[in-house]
Amino acid sequence: EQQRRENESRESEVARIQVPQMPKGDPLTPALLAKVEEHLANANLANMLRRQAICAIVGKASPQPVLYELFISIADLRQTLMPDTDLVSSPWLFQQLTRTLDRRVMSLPNKHDDNTIAGGISINLNVETLLSQEFLNFDDNIKASERGSIVIELQKMDVFADLGAFLFARDFVHERGYRICIDGADLESLPFISREKLGVDFIKLVWSPEMIMGQFPDGSRLEDYVQQAGAARIVLCRCGEQAAIDYGQ
């Protein structure tokens, strides 16, 4: 049980990567990471970009997309660059890899004229990226009228690793008009993530069958939390079964 929870925790922290079941491969090392980053400098990532709909379901109506999450397929990245390496074997080295990917995503508005970065999307970024020159360049290429429809997703581990940096970055991007979502919340961590106190717009909650019980590990009610945070401000993700959809409704 402990091993299962540890695995789920790691999976939630790298939720951005959308990795299917793949052979483990060799562990990612600093030397291998350097090689991956070198390849990324010139790699064409256009064919690795994916869009995943975030939908609202009202009553018996069909799911209505409200946002599209834009992400780099790490499975395709691995297959293209280093098929024998497990890119997510080290959470900290993988975090560095995501910073490199952030920089590539930030360059998209300069290289695409097909509305790849346009309103109604969410993108996964690091707090450090929001404080970088690359983000300032990205922001310069986004129309002011579109910023309000772009959601920036930040992993909870990244937020709490340096709360001061997060608060500074939050105020900056809010002033520019973007919205913020805390990604990777689960039943264990959600009680410690106050949407109002953190001043964020959304929280992304990873579905698990244990939610049907309606309680956090300390016995408090999940429904009370959702009502306090705002039901329309919680995104339920990893909904790969009907029970998840039913519970979300």
Side-chain angles (χ1 to χ4, degrees):
E1 176 67 16
Q2 180 63 28
Q3 183 63 44
R4 181 185 67 81
R5 290 186 178 277
E6 289 177 357
N7 289 339
E8 289 179 351
S9 177
R10 191 184 95 169
E11 289 171 1
S12 69
E13 296 298 352
V14 296
R16 72 163 70 208
I17 61 180
Q18 308 291 335
V19 178
Q21 291 297 322
M22 298 174 63
K24 287 295 184 181
D26 298 328
L28 182 64
T29 65
L32 289 174
L33 175 61
K35 289 183 179 180
V36 172
E37 292 183 320
E38 183 180 350
H39 290 314
L40 284 175
N42 300 309
N44 180 7
L45 300 183
N47 60 347
M48 301 179 195
L49 278 174
R50 301 289 181 268
R51 285 175 178 260
Q52 178 170 281
I54 299 174
C55 297
I57 303 177
V58 180
K60 295 183 179 180
S62 299
Q64 298 297 314
V66 293
L67 285 172
Y68 286 90
E69 181 179 359
L70 185 69
F71 62 93
I72 299 292
S73 169
I74 296 298
D76 291 343
L77 182 66
R78 170 181 169 175
Q79 186 61 36
T80 301
L81 299 182
M82 289 191 168
D84 297 326
T85 302
D86 181 2
L87 297 179
V88 301
S89 59
S90 167
W92 302 113
L93 292 178
F94 180 76
Q95 185 81 359
Q96 175 58 36
L97 175 59
T98 63
R99 295 188 185 103
T100 301
L101 291 173
D102 284 354
R103 291 194 292 270
R104 293 304 309 273
V105 172
M106 293 297 90
S107 69
L108 287 174
N110 296 321
K111 297 182 179 179
H112 291 259
D113 57 4
D114 57 357
N115 293 320
T116 299
I117 299 287
I121 66 164
S122 70
I123 52 177
N124 286 279
L125 297 175
N126 287 277
V127 170
E128 181 180 300
T129 299
L130 299 180
L131 304 175
S132 69
Q133 183 61 47
E134 285 83 3
F135 184 78
L136 293 177
N137 296 339
F138 168 84
D139 180 66
D140 285 342
N141 286 279
I142 298 296
K143 296 178 181 178
S145 60
E146 293 180 344
R147 291 177 183 137
S149 58
I150 295 177
V151 176
I152 296 172
E153 298 191 22
L154 303 170
Q155 290 293 321
K156 69 175 189 289
M157 180 177 68
D158 192 30
V159 168
F160 290 107
D162 188 339
L163 196 56
F166 159 72
L167 295 174
F168 184 86
R170 177 204 64 189
D171 291 345
F172 172 68
V173 299
H174 270 165
E175 287 174 4
R176 304 300 296 164
Y178 302 97
R179 293 179 291 172
I180 297 176
C181 175
I182 303 297
D183 192 7
D186 53 24
L187 274 179
E188 284 72 26
S189 62
L190 190 61
F192 304 102
I193 303 175
S194 170
R195 188 185 70 79
E196 292 181 323
K197 290 182 179 179
L198 287 174
V200 297
D201 304 276
F202 303 100
I203 294 175
K204 186 178 282 188
L205 176 61
V206 179
W207 157 257
S208 68
E210 289 84 356
M211 289 181 187
I212 294 176
M213 301 300 293
Q215 291 185 328
F216 291 114
D218 65 1
S220 59
R221 298 201 319 157
L222 178 57
E223 183 179 351
D224 292 340
Y225 178 96
V226 172
Q227 289 180 348
Q228 176 67 28
R233 301 301 187 107
I234 306 292
V235 178
L236 192 63
C237 65
R238 312 286 184 86
C239 300
E241 53 186 314
Q242 186 63 40
I245 304 298
D246 294 340
Y247 185 77
Q249 290 183 289

